[in-house]
Amino acid sequence: MAKSISGPEIEKLIQLLARVPGLGPRSARRAALHMIKKKDQLLGPLSEAMAEAHEKVTVCLRCGNVDTADPCSICTDTRRDSSVIIVVEDVADLWALERAAAMNCTYHVLGGTLSPLDGIGPDDLNIKTLVDRVSNGGIKELVIAVNATVEGQTTAHYITDQLDGFDVSITRLAHGVPVGGELDYLDEGTLTAALRSRTKL
Amino acid sequence: MAKSISGPEIEKLIQLLARVPGLGPRSARRAALHMIKKKDQLLGPLSEAMAEAHEKVTVCLRCGNVDTADPCSICTDTRRDSSVIIVVEDVADLWALERAAAMNCTYHVLGGTLSPLDGIGPDDLNIKTLVDRVSNGGIKELVIAVNATVEGQTTAHYITDQLDGFDVSITRLAHGVPVGGELDYLDEGTLTAALRSRTKL
């Protein structure tokens, strides 16, 4: 779209919106137009919410979670079992596990996985801080909840090696059939894992 | 997601993002997290762009386009043929036609179509301002570029009736086969229209 039809401000808004994951150039235009039409209900509040988040959001130095407080609300929540740490790759995984609400414990966000091809080594991830947390004592269990990918599993093994000698139980998520999933659509690896880990009815 | 895991500011940002067309609750979370990670490259600039758009964007009183100037950049562009007006339903249609860049003329945004079922009558659309523009003189042609829906066609007929007696040529977009389209996938109405309006090779 030429600059001359709607002013540089709208054009800039569309360009920035197109960089938001989930929005492409076309949907960014649609989103911008919708926001402009709902100027006071959406554009204004959203601009303020973003400015506030930009100003206040920080990364928890202890666990790597994003929050407006450091240490974050999870680390400072006394109702949580701080002797159990779930280790995740990304904050999105932390959010997903919190939505499941299956365990009331703390987290450690690695910030990615080991990937020599992409030049991501142990020093690029929050692994040292994890070892520090464990060596400070008081940790009974570490649940390694990284993705079931090659990189995720490599990272899991590396962490296990680093924690060799500490008196901490290291567990991983179970493999198996997703709840609600159909066997016919599952890969052989998952089916094999589900069979091997079969439980009594 | 409970409030206690990432602060009310992030929660509010996600809730507002979920109201942007093209983003649902899940992609709003993803978008928020991406923005937070790209705090200074995306979250900050986007917040500023939105604040600027919120402050400056206005509706052109002459043609109904949104712009940061009133009259808008299109109405004040002296290189455009102001004797031709393309009448569209929405600003998004104006943008689409500008991208096609087939005609260098002016526009009139109706802001919707007549729809008695939804309680939208002539007074809810920018029809009076269109008649005013025509009666002020200097307009040779009006291209009615409303959608090819029942409401769009009703609106087109209403506008034609209102402009009865003015010395202005009223045209509409051609019906036919979309460029790059396959006949097999087209409906009978479009094929009939394309056959009737066939042109010499």
Side-chain angles (χ1 to χ4, degrees), chain A residues 4-6 9 19 29 33-34 37 39-41 54 56-57 65 67-68 73 90 92 98-99, chain B residues 4-6 9 19 21 29 33-34 37 39-41 54 56-57 65 67-68 73 90 92 98-99:
Chain A
S4 58
I5 76 163
S6 58
E9 292 85 357
R19 286 167 50 194
R29 282 197 299 269
L33 199 55
H34 182 82
K37 284 178 187 168
K39 231 175 98 164
D40 294 326
Q41 301 98 303
H54 181 249
K56 291 193 185 167
V57 163
N65 185 19
D67 199 335
T68 42
S73 336
D90 195 275
E98 276 297 301
R99 286 198 298 280
Chain B
S4 58
I5 76 161
S6 58
E9 293 85 357
R19 285 166 51 194
R29 281 197 300 266
L33 199 54
H34 181 83
K37 284 178 188 170
K39 230 175 99 166
D40 294 325
Q41 301 98 302
H54 181 248
K56 292 192 183 167
V57 163
N65 186 18
D67 199 333
T68 42
S73 337
D90 194 273
E98 276 298 300
R99 284 197 299 280

Side-chain angles (χ1 to χ4, degrees), chain A residues 13 30-47, chain B residues 16 19-21 50 53-55 57 59 66 90:
Chain A
L13 176 61
R30 201 169 131 242
L33 199 55
H34 182 82
M35 286 178 190
I36 288 168
K37 284 178 187 168
K38 306 244 170 197
K39 231 175 98 164
D40 294 326
Q41 301 98 303
L42 189 55
L43 189 59
L46 199 48
S47 143
Chain B
L16 284 167
R19 285 166 51 194
V20 173
M50 283 182 179
H54 181 248
E55 188 195 335
V57 163
V59 172
V66 292
D90 194 273

Side-chain angles (χ1 to χ4, degrees), chain A residues 50-84:
Chain A
M50 283 181 179
E52 208 173 351
H54 181 249
E55 190 195 334
K56 291 193 185 167
V57 163
T58 180
V59 172
C60 175
L61 287 179
R62 191 188 299 180
C63 77
N65 185 19
V66 292
D67 199 335
T68 42
D70 173 28
C72 73
S73 336
I74 291 182
C75 284
T76 52
D77 186 349
T78 51
R79 290 161 304 178
R80 286 175 185 264
D81 182 357
S82 60
S83 70
V84 179

Side-chain angles (χ1 to χ4, degrees), chain B residues 59-72:
Chain B
V59 172
C60 175
L61 286 179
R62 191 187 301 179
C63 77
N65 186 18
V66 292
D67 199 333
T68 42
D70 173 28
C72 72

